[in-house]
């Protein structure tokens, strides 16, 4: 399909029909390199009414909530933890400092790695609790970056300092460790194919993506090498696996997203270098919703863009800033089974959550 035209119309009925307004278009252009610092959006009546694109066009993405730490559920860490951890670690326990990776399990629990506090936060919106994974004992993480969760609730965490990937059981105990001496140089993004029991690991310094069995850690294949051609990478960072077992790789310094089939064959490239809608400058998080739309968080643009299955740009969400729906250095991105979009907002020390609104659905609930 064709890319979004200058007349702001999306030519095919099969597209998302998001209807980007001229004001939204101008906002995205203002996010390019050398542009003035974006200002907060005016006239915010209620956070629950934050939608994209702007009225009067039909909303297709809405803001839901933000997670920062224990205060999100009106709770503080217990006193016994304070006694065990002491005052300095407690400051890191209360809230996230520099979140990066994000994943969500089948029960709605949200896992967020924090490279500064050196913890993996687990937000449970149903139980209204905050807990941690890999913070004690064997497999204690030092610099957690990527995170992934399988159907049974086993959690995998990539540690960029220890150059290992740790897998934890449902009780939090170390279940498996992946990565022999010299196997990784900088493991970063993780993604799980829950249907085929495959774990993908991006190594940004080796410019490769490793594929393992998530059951026993055995190597299945290694994808790519450094280069510009399809199937090659230049500092790959984040990963995502869709419902068809297709792998999406944020090929960050090639300024693109690459899609692979379950056998590691390159299928498609989305995006290229630039500072206009549909271009990428520092792509990080990537995700795919139930209708095949591709979401890409860009740390330079301080937003995430939505592309159709053919790589045509449909909409962008966000701009630089501190308010809801604004970002400073967004990193990891995850789309769950309910088409909720989770974005690690590094510079604002928080995780923002959005909802894709399907055709015919209501934006406000």
């Amino acid at each position: 399909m064709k890319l979004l035209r200058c007349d702001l119309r999306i030519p095919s009925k099969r597209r998302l029909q998001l209807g980007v307004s001229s004001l939204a278009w101008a906002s995205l252009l203002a996010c390019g390199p050398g542009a003035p610092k974006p200002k907060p959006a005016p006239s915010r009546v209620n956070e629950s009414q934050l939608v994209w694109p702007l009225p009067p066009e039909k909303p297709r993405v809405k803001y839901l909530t933000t997670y920062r730490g224990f205060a999100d559920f009106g709770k503080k860490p217990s006193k016994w933890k304070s006694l065990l951890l002491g005052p300095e670690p407690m400051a890191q326990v209360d809230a996230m400092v520099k979140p990066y990776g994000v994943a969500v399990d089948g029960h709605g629990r949200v896992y967020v790695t924090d490279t500064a506090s050196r913890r993996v936060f687990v937000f449970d919106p149903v139980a209204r609790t905050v807990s941690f994974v890999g913070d004690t004992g064997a497999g204690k993480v030092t610099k957690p970056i990527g995170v992934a969760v399988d159907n049974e609730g086993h959690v995998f965490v990539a540690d960029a300092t220890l150059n290992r990937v740790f897998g934890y059981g449902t009780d939090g105990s170390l279940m498996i460790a992946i990565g022999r001496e010299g196997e990784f140089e900088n493991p970063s993004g993780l993604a799980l194919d829950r249907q085929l029991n495959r774990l993908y690991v991006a190594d940004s310094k080796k410019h490769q993506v490793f594929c393992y069995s998530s059951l026993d850690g055995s190597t299945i294949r290694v994808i790519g090498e450094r280069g510009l051609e399809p199937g090659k990478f230049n500092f790959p960072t984040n990963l995502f696996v869709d419902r068809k077992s297709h792998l999406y790789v944020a090929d960050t310094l090639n300024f693109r997203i690459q899609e692979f089939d379950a056998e590691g064959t390159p299928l498609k490239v989305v995006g290229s270098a630039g500072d206009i809608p549909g271009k990428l400058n520092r792509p990080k998080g990537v995700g795919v919703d139930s209708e095949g739309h591709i979401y890409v968080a860009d740390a330079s643009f301080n937003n995430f863009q939505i592309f159709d299955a053919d790589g045509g740009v449909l909409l962008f969400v966000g701009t630089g800033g501190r308010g809801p729906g604004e970002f400073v250095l967004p990193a990891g991105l995850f789309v769950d089974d309910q088409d909720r979009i989770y974005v690690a907002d590094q510079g604002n020390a928080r995780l923002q959550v959005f909802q894709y609104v399907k055709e015919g659905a209501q934006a406000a609930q």
Side-chain angles (χ1 to χ4, degrees):
M1 295 183 187
K2 297 179 181 179
L3 290 174
L4 189 65
R5 298 171 182 267
C6 292
D7 61 6
L8 305 179
R9 291 178 297 175
I10 302 174
S12 170
K13 292 182 179 179
R14 289 184 296 163
R15 286 181 176 270
L16 190 56
Q17 299 178 350
L18 293 175
V20 183
S21 69
S22 57
L23 178 58
W25 183 274
S27 296
L28 181 55
L29 293 177
C31 292
K37 184 178 180 180
K39 298 180 180 179
S43 303
R44 284 187 172 144
V45 178
N46 191 317
E47 289 180 4
S48 64
Q49 297 176 356
L50 285 175
V51 295
W52 294 263
L54 299 174
E57 301 187 60
K58 180 179 294 185
R60 304 317 301 270
V61 173
K62 66 176 181 178
Y63 168 85
L64 292 182
T65 191
T66 290
Y67 293 128
R68 293 181 182 273
F70 281 85
D72 297 311
F73 302 128
K75 299 178 181 180
K76 293 280 188 179
S78 60
K79 291 184 178 180
W80 68 265
K81 283 190 175 180
S82 178
L83 293 173
L84 289 174
L85 298 173
E88 185 176 349
M90 270 303 288
Q92 299 176 338
V93 168
D94 275 327
M96 293 185 291
V97 180
K98 192 176 181 182
Y100 187 92
V102 56
V104 182
D105 68 17
H107 300 283
R109 289 183 290 259
V110 184
Y111 301 76
V112 187
T113 62
D114 190 310
T115 59
S117 69
R118 301 183 180 186
R119 290 181 176 273
V120 181
F121 284 73
V122 184
F123 296 91
D124 190 330
V126 177
R128 299 188 64 78
T129 60
V130 180
S131 57
F132 303 98
V133 172
D135 61 330
T136 59
K140 181 177 180 178
V141 293
T142 300
K143 188 178 181 180
I145 293 190
V147 61
V149 191
D150 69 12
N151 287 328
E152 285 69 46
H154 303 133
V155 184
F156 297 84
V157 179
D159 192 307
T161 296
L162 299 177
N163 288 327
R164 306 288 294 278
V165 174
F166 299 110
Y168 305 93
T170 55
D171 61 353
S173 62
L174 182 64
M175 178 183 67
I176 192 173
I178 299 173
R180 300 181 301 275
E181 184 71 26
E183 187 169 358
F184 296 134
E185 288 186 18
N186 188 41
S188 51
L190 298 183
L192 268 168
D193 185 332
R194 297 174 180 176
Q195 301 178 73
L196 300 178
N197 295 314
R198 293 176 181 174
L199 174 68
Y200 292 94
V201 183
D203 191 311
S204 60
K205 289 186 178 179
K206 280 197 168 183
H207 313 285
Q208 294 177 316
V209 175
F210 294 79
C211 178
Y212 300 92
S213 164
S214 61
L215 301 178
D216 61 14
S218 59
T219 303
I220 296 175
R221 67 175 60 88
V222 179
I223 304 171
E225 60 182 343
R226 193 169 195 179
L228 301 175
E229 299 83 1
K232 297 183 179 181
F233 306 111
N234 191 23
F235 291 94
T237 53
N238 293 36
L239 308 173
F240 190 83
V241 174
D242 69 8
R243 291 163 173 79
K244 299 180 294 185
S245 292
H246 288 186
L247 171 69
Y248 295 78
V249 182
D251 190 5
T252 299
L253 292 191
N254 276 331
F255 316 105
R256 64 190 182 186
I257 303 298
Q258 293 202 63
E259 179 184 352
F260 297 81
D261 67 15
E263 303 306 314
T265 303
L267 298 177
K268 181 172 55 189
V269 170
V270 173
S272 59
D275 58 2
I276 62 173
K279 299 294 185 178
L280 300 172
N281 194 37
R282 198 174 164 194
K284 288 294 186 74
V286 58
V288 182
D289 68 21
S290 62
E291 295 182 350
H293 307 120
I294 303 166
Y295 298 71
V296 184
D298 197 301
S300 289
F301 293 155
N302 287 321
N303 66 15
F304 63 87
Q305 295 189 70
I306 307 174
F307 298 83
D308 66 18
D310 294 321
V313 63
L314 297 172
L315 182 69
F316 81 96
V317 173
T319 185
R322 304 289 181 180
E326 299 174 342
F327 302 97
V328 176
L329 298 175
L333 183 150
F334 189 88
V335 181
D336 72 9
D337 293 338
Q338 283 72 49
D339 289 332
R340 289 183 291 251
I341 308 135
Y342 303 79
V343 184
D345 188 3
Q346 277 192 111
N348 286 320
R350 65 188 180 183
L351 179 81
Q352 296 198 64
V353 188
F354 304 82
Q355 177 72 58
Y356 162 56
V357 182
K358 294 185 178 181
E359 185 71 25
Q362 297 294 321
Q365 296 178 354

